[in-house]
Amino acid sequence: MTVNDLHAGKVNDGFRPNASTLSQNWHTLSTDNVFTELSTSPSGLTVAEAQNRLKATGPNVLRKHRDISIIRILLRQIQNPLIYVLLAATLLALGMGKITDAMVIFSVVVINTIIGFVQEYQAGMTIQKLLRMTPAQVTVMREGEQRNVAAPELVPGDYVLLQAGDRISADLRLTSVKNLQCDEASLTGESLPVAKDTEPVEEEAVPGDRTCMAYSGTFVTHGTGEGIVVATASNTEIGKISELLEAAQEPETPLTRSISKVAKWITISILVVGVIVLGIGVARGYTFTGAAFSAITLAVATIPEGLPAVITIASAIGVRRMARRNSVIRHLPAVETLGSTTVICSDKTGTLTRNEMTVKALWNGKHYYDVTGIGIEPEGEILHAASGEEAQENHIGELVRAGVLCNDASLEEQENGTWKAVGDPTETALVTAGRKLGIAEDELREKWPRLDEHPFDSERKIMATLHSSPHGGKVVYVKGAPEAVLRMLGSTQGVAPGEISEEALQFAASGLRVLAFASKELDAPPTDGITEEILQDGFRFLGLQAMLDPPRVEVKEAIDTCHQAGVIVKMITGDHPGTAAAVAQELGLMAPGQTVITGHELQGMDEVEYQRAVERTNVFARVSPEHKLRLVMALQANGEVVAMTGDGVNDAPALKRADIGVAMGITGTAVAKEAADMILTDDNFESIEAAVEEGRRVYDNLIKSIVFILPTSIGLGLVIFVSVLFFPSQGGVPLQAMQPVQVLWINLITAVALSLPLALEVMEPDAMHRPPRDPDAPIFSGWIVFRMVAVASLMAGGTLGLFLREYYAEISRDIPPAIALAEAQTMAVTTMVLFQAFYLIDCRSLKYPVTKIGLLTNPMVFVGIAAVLLTQLAFVYFPFMNRWFYSLPLKADAWAVSAAVAFTILPVIGLEKWIRSRKGS
């Protein structure tokens, strides 16, 4: 088959997709070869052939991965080791006939599940946003005629027509372009529209450098083009990212891993001690039922029933606090992960930068000028670089005027005082620069009406416009690449061409995009507009304008704060190395001697080299989605806890694989938001630093809650264990200091109510001045373990002592044993509750005395104590509570004794903190 046959519409109706055509490096082939490979032509496919290919390849729709159903979300909430322990305790209680105990324990499981389910369901986990990346209609050639077909009906070999504003529906090998530019920021991270051509590129070129390709999910910003569909659905670049996203595994969070270890330890301990208690009871002559009753009581006492609820509720409180700081958390575990983040991998465009081009410098052939202000807002000045004086229009007015006239963009002020850009980002930057010199584009264009234009030509790399001068005559202004404009200059210039080239190179080396400007006055008005003859030579050089996508003003300070907190920030972008280096240096991301590593360089590295590269390098440019994912995995292999920020489709797999994925809420694509754990509502990197700060606070407060709850459970377990081991029996049943339902009262009502205020504690003074915690380090340090054992022993000892004192005092007064036991048990419960109330004050900081963090900085602590004391009064004095919990009213002196014994915990923990501070730990 010849090329002529193809152009005549003679195609091979026997075409079928195979491994070769689906995995072809289309960017390396000539257009003729692509026509041959896909058996198609500019006349398009026949309707019959298109239908056959559609049957063979399937619709052009990204494969819809398994939906996350309500049932799966619900089941995921109970996939927690502590929940397993609670379910086991529920079954054990049912087996012993303790229906009330079983119902109370199971209620904790239900509450915890509901909280987690609501949080996850509201995040919109069931929405498959990848399916929204394909537009409804596409213009194609079928049987030599233009037709609009539904995007899902596109097949390999279809011939597609493109124009400005079109969103591209499949991967295309371009065959014809006219000033075609595509915005590929969401796919490649490239901040500027990419000029397209039809020439093949080298095989190793990453998607951002494949100028002969147009990819699904991107859109046309300028010009027109034609191309052959070479990949649809999951075989497109977006489809490959979708597959990566599905394959990427979400790692377990550090706290989840630590809690799993604690839960396993608790489970094993309960089983071992339960068997010991059962054996001791039988050995001491208790009935088997009585001994088993003691074992189940011990299990109920030792299991921290309130812990899962406390962790979930405390995390939810952190979620609400973060929402007020512009960070929306989609998954509760992400809250505590933020606190242990060691590396933030940030995309550049729109995350570290504003995604708005800004002219930063001008050169008129003699002098340099600095441009202040950033973004599209026309606020700022143009200043003489040497003197700092404000530039005058007679100095650089024609250079700036050329940028505004040879331009199709404009600025529109909105009702709320903000500005909206209409047009190409680069041209918008030129208009903004004009406004800073007092030149309004609408007024200028009215005075200098455009008579003709030569649109930007990707081959010639220039744009030219013809204007009628208000002073009489006609003027042609041209802007473009410096090397292109140099070829158009006349022989008599005030500056040498070599000097112009040198200045342009210096700007480019600083990561700036450089445009050169020139003008040509015409002696006689042209009758045919801008002709090739006019564009040949004779232009007068006006100067250079250099621009970049500027970093956000607040980002450098946020990065400095992250560094201060021991968090490394790395830039991973699809943009050019020079641009990435310039932004990184301005933000302080590149240490002396560091260089930028490109995706091409990463491609040739083995795993060891890869891990070394990610350890020593902070800036990676021209990277593909696979590179980003592999970079995150390499960092995790180095033991890092990785947060990945991004807004594009290309970021989604890495966002999902990272320990904490952070998507942009304004500029972020739906795919990125779906893959992320956290969404920034203001697209501000500063909010990431605030989230890390809040994450550390949440983690610290979670640990405080755990350190508060566990000693109570251990102390209750000790109370039951000692009772079985040493106390006498009554009718074959050991004399116990507490009933099972009384233990549940302490664990569920008082422990939870008192621990929740800790979730509202202020941030520790050193929270952002210490390195991130080691994710593999045990959740509790040696000091914390010592404190919990000491507190549990003190609580158990004080409670048992007062129980025995009250019981035998009542027996000595000839009070019936059942009443004496109920009164003594009521006093034991009251003592344990008061122990917790005093211990709560010490737990407000695990390191510092309460005076350092402020006695009244968290009033909810005292609200919680007051609430628990009121409920304890009900436990003691309300008749219906006496019936439910086997309690009896106490005299005032019993309360006083209990309070005095419980108060001893304050000086004990105070002494421990003092010793710890003296040792510097």
Side-chain angles (χ1 to χ4, degrees):
M1 180 179 296
T2 67
V3 175
N4 289 333
D5 291 332
L6 290 171
H7 285 220
K10 299 177 181 178
V11 298
N12 177 10
D13 287 347
F15 167 86
R16 291 295 178 269
N18 52 49
S20 174
T21 57
L22 294 180
S23 62
Q24 183 70 267
N25 289 321
W26 301 106
H27 57 281
T28 66
L29 301 181
S30 68
T31 56
D32 288 343
N33 286 337
V34 176
F35 277 124
T36 302
E37 288 287 336
L38 292 173
S39 302
T40 188
S41 78
S43 298
L45 303 172
T46 64
V47 174
E49 174 62 11
Q51 290 297 321
N52 290 335
R53 296 190 183 193
L54 186 61
K55 292 178 181 178
T57 62
N60 179 35
V61 176
L62 295 179
R63 183 171 65 89
K64 189 173 183 180
H65 301 299
R66 185 178 62 179
D67 287 333
I68 302 175
S69 68
I70 291 177
I71 298 299
R72 293 193 185 96
I73 295 176
L74 198 59
L75 291 176
R76 188 157 51 241
Q77 307 312 312
I78 64 174
Q79 293 174 357
N80 181 307
L82 285 175
I83 297 297
Y84 298 153
V85 174
L86 292 178
L87 290 174
T90 302
L91 295 175
L92 189 58
L94 286 173
M96 295 297 300
K98 307 297 181 182
I99 305 300
T100 302
D101 295 345
M103 290 177 61
V104 174
I105 298 173
F106 187 70
S107 67
V108 178
V109 178
V110 173
I111 293 171
N112 186 72
T113 300
I114 290 174
I115 293 172
F117 173 82
V118 171
Q119 180 69 26
E120 193 165 333
Y121 184 78
Q122 288 180 340
M125 291 289 290
T126 58
I127 301 175
Q128 299 292 320
K129 291 190 174 71
L130 280 172
L131 301 178
R132 299 183 180 179
M133 295 300 292
T134 306
Q137 297 289 320
V138 184
T139 303
V140 301
M141 298 296 295
R142 290 273 171 91
E143 298 180 342
E145 297 179 356
Q146 286 191 24
R147 298 188 183 185
N148 290 329
V149 301
E153 296 178 9
L154 283 179
V155 295
D158 261 327
Y159 198 79
V160 176
L161 308 181
L162 301 173
Q163 60 182 355
D166 286 351
R167 184 174 289 276
I168 300 168
S169 314
D171 288 359
L172 309 178
R173 173 61 168 90
L174 297 171
T175 60
S176 174
V177 298
K178 184 177 181 181
N179 305 319
L180 183 65
Q181 296 182 38
C182 295
D183 185 337
E184 299 180 340
S186 65
L187 180 67
T188 66
E190 174 63 63
S191 56
L192 296 172
V194 178
K196 296 295 184 178
D197 57 40
T198 60
E199 293 301 313
V201 297
E202 61 183 9
E203 184 175 348
E204 294 78 14
V206 296
D209 292 330
R210 299 173 188 172
T211 53
C212 61
M213 300 290 295
Y215 288 110
S216 177
T218 65
F219 61 91
V220 179
T221 60
H222 192 271
T224 60
E226 300 174 5
I228 312 166
V229 173
V230 296
T232 59
S234 298
N235 295 310
T236 63
E237 288 298 316
I238 279 186
K240 294 174 184 176
I241 293 172
S242 173
E243 299 302 316
L244 283 174
L245 185 59
E246 179 72 6
Q249 298 179 352
E250 297 182 28
E252 193 178 25
T253 69
L255 183 61
T256 302
R257 291 195 296 267
S258 298
I259 292 297
S260 297
K261 295 178 183 178
V262 172
K264 291 177 182 177
W265 179 83
I266 290 174
T267 303
I268 294 173
S269 299
I270 290 173
L271 292 175
V272 171
V273 177
V275 171
I276 292 174
V277 166
L278 182 63
I280 291 174
V282 173
R284 293 194 63 196
Y286 302 151
T287 63
F288 183 82
T289 301
F293 180 76
S294 297
I296 185 64
T297 304
L298 176 73
V300 171
T302 309
I303 296 173
E305 288 91 350
L307 186 55
V310 166
I311 292 175
T312 302
I313 295 171
S315 297
I317 291 173
V319 166
R320 289 196 295 272
R321 292 183 60 88
M322 287 184 178
R324 291 197 291 269
R325 303 186 73 172
N326 302 312
S327 301
V328 177
I329 302 296
R330 299 181 67 242
H331 306 290
L332 285 180
V335 178
E336 60 89 8
T337 308
L338 279 165
S340 55
T341 297
T342 61
V343 176
I344 298 175
C345 295
S346 176
D347 189 32
K348 178 186 72 68
T349 305
T351 307
L352 298 176
T353 64
R354 296 171 61 92
N355 198 19
E356 296 174 351
M357 296 300 292
T358 303
V359 175
K360 300 298 293 181
L362 298 96
W363 182 66
N364 64 356
K366 295 181 180 179
H367 305 288
Y368 296 97
Y369 295 86
D370 295 326
V371 184
T372 64
I374 59 174
I376 65 173
E377 291 80 7
E379 298 177 1
E381 300 174 302
I382 301 179
L383 306 174
H384 193 285
S387 66
E389 297 179 355
E390 188 172 352
Q392 302 300 314
E393 187 170 349
N394 61 339
H395 295 155
I396 57 170
E398 192 170 10
L399 170 60
V400 176
R401 184 167 65 243
V404 176
L405 290 175
C406 191
N407 193 319
D408 293 321
S410 61
L411 288 177
E412 297 177 358
E413 187 172 9
Q414 306 299 295
E415 293 182 359
N416 59 3
T418 61
W419 291 83
K420 177 183 177 182
V422 179
D424 179 85
T426 300
E427 294 193 334
T428 301
L430 298 173
V431 170
T432 302
R435 292 258 186 166
K436 292 174 182 178
L437 195 65
I439 299 174
E441 68 276 10
D442 52 352
E443 296 177 3
L444 181 67
R445 291 167 184 171
E446 186 176 348
K447 293 179 180 178
W448 293 72
R450 182 183 296 186
L451 303 177
D452 192 20
E453 72 170 290
H454 176 85
F456 178 81
D457 186 342
S458 58
E459 294 183 5
R460 204 163 194 166
K461 297 182 179 179
I462 64 161
M463 174 182 178
T465 53
L466 173 64
H467 298 268
S468 177
S469 170
H471 310 297
K474 304 295 185 290
V475 180
V476 177
Y477 286 113
V478 64
K479 78 168 186 283
E483 64 274 15
V485 174
L486 274 175
R487 293 191 293 266
M488 304 169 66
L489 299 182
S491 58
T492 56
Q493 295 289 327
V495 58
E499 186 178 356
I500 297 174
S501 298
E502 182 64 27
E503 294 296 338
L505 287 173
Q506 288 187 9
F507 278 132
S510 300
L512 300 173
R513 186 185 186 194
V514 187
L515 289 177
F517 296 82
S519 67
K520 184 177 183 178
E521 295 183 3
L522 303 179
D523 296 332
T527 57
D528 299 327
I530 301 176
T531 62
E532 285 296 321
E533 183 180 356
I534 291 175
L535 295 178
Q536 289 301 315
D537 56 20
F539 280 80
R540 179 171 58 91
F541 178 70
L542 299 178
L544 303 176
Q545 294 198 45
M547 62 191 73
L548 84 164
D549 180 12
R552 294 176 181 268
V553 174
E554 64 282 357
V555 164
K556 189 176 190 310
E557 183 178 350
I559 290 175
D560 290 341
T561 303
C562 288
H563 288 166
Q564 186 178 353
V567 180
I568 301 170
V569 180
K570 295 179 183 290
M571 179 195 294
I572 302 178
T573 178
D575 218 333
H576 290 281
T579 305
V583 173
Q585 288 169 355
E586 187 170 346
L587 293 176
L589 289 178
M590 290 183 66
Q594 281 192 332
T595 58
V596 178
I597 291 182
T598 65
H600 181 68
E601 292 171 319
L602 290 172
Q603 198 71 33
M605 295 182 182
D606 58 27
E607 290 301 322
V608 175
E609 292 173 326
Y610 219 99
Q611 291 185 21
R612 289 176 182 170
V614 300
E615 187 174 359
R616 68 174 184 265
T617 305
N618 287 343
V619 183
F620 300 86
R622 301 309 264 172
V623 293
S624 67
E626 292 87 348
H627 293 145
K628 291 187 178 186
L629 179 59
R630 193 178 171 194
L631 282 166
V632 170
M633 295 173 67
L635 285 167
Q636 291 172 330
N638 287 343
E640 307 286 359
V641 178
V642 183
M644 170 68 187
T645 72
D647 56 1
V649 177
N650 60 327
D651 299 319
L655 287 175
K656 184 177 179 181
R657 183 63 181 85
D659 297 276
I660 174 75
V662 184
M664 302 299 110
I666 299 174
T667 60
T669 61
V671 182
K673 295 173 187 176
E674 175 67 17
D677 301 291
M678 183 176 86
I679 301 171
L680 301 183
T681 58
D682 61 353
D683 284 16
N684 195 329
F685 187 90
E686 185 181 34
S687 297
I688 301 174
E689 180 273 321
V692 170
E693 178 181 306
E694 192 64 38
R696 292 193 176 192
R697 167 179 162 154
V698 169
Y699 179 81
D700 286 344
N701 291 346
L702 280 173
I703 297 301
K704 294 172 188 177
S705 298
I706 294 171
V707 171
F708 173 78
I709 288 177
L710 287 185
T712 302
S713 296
I714 297 171
L716 288 171
L718 285 174
V719 167
I720 305 305
F721 185 75
V722 172
S723 298
V724 174
L725 194 61
F726 298 109
F727 286 11
S729 64
Q730 290 182 328
V733 178
L735 181 67
Q736 292 189 156
M738 294 180 191
Q739 297 280 347
V741 291
Q742 293 172 342
V743 170
L744 287 170
W745 168 262
I746 295 172
N747 271 347
L748 292 178
I749 306 301
T750 60
V752 173
L754 289 176
S755 61
L756 283 180
L758 291 175
L760 301 173
E761 273 301 329
V762 296
M763 189 170 67
E764 291 283 315
D766 65 342
M768 293 301 286
H769 297 275
R770 63 180 188 235
R773 71 181 187 89
D774 183 355
D776 295 324
I779 190 171
F780 303 130
S781 65
W783 280 104
I784 296 299
V785 173
F786 171 79
R787 175 184 299 180
M788 289 195 298
V789 172
V791 169
S793 301
L794 186 60
M795 286 182 173
T799 299
L800 287 171
L802 289 186
F803 167 77
L804 293 175
R805 174 182 177 274
E806 182 69 13
Y807 177 74
Y808 285 112
E810 293 297 287
I811 291 294
S812 66
R813 292 197 294 269
D814 295 326
I815 300 296
I819 296 177
L821 178 61
E823 289 185 359
Q825 288 177 336
T826 303
M827 189 170 186
V829 171
T830 301
T831 302
M832 183 64 77
V833 169
L834 293 175
F835 262 123
Q836 291 182 75
F838 287 117
Y839 181 49
L840 176 65
I841 297 174
D842 266 325
C843 282
R844 292 187 59 198
S845 175
L846 300 182
K847 183 177 181 180
Y848 300 104
V850 70
T851 53
K852 185 166 183 177
I853 61 174
L855 186 64
L856 300 178
T857 53
N858 184 9
M860 291 306 298
V861 166
F862 301 101
V863 172
I865 291 174
V868 165
L869 291 179
L870 288 174
T871 57
Q872 186 61 24
L873 286 171
F875 175 90
V876 174
Y877 295 110
F878 284 18
F880 72 91
M881 297 287 276
N882 296 155
R883 291 194 299 272
W884 290 353
F885 292 99
Y886 310 106
S887 59
L888 287 177
L890 295 177
K891 296 178 183 178
D893 61 335
W895 280 88
V897 173
S898 294
V901 172
F903 182 81
T904 59
I905 202 167
L906 283 174
V908 170
I909 300 302
L911 177 62
E912 180 263 339
K913 287 184 179 180
W914 180 81
I915 295 173
R916 188 178 177 188
S917 66
R918 298 283 292 180
K919 290 181 174 291
S921 60

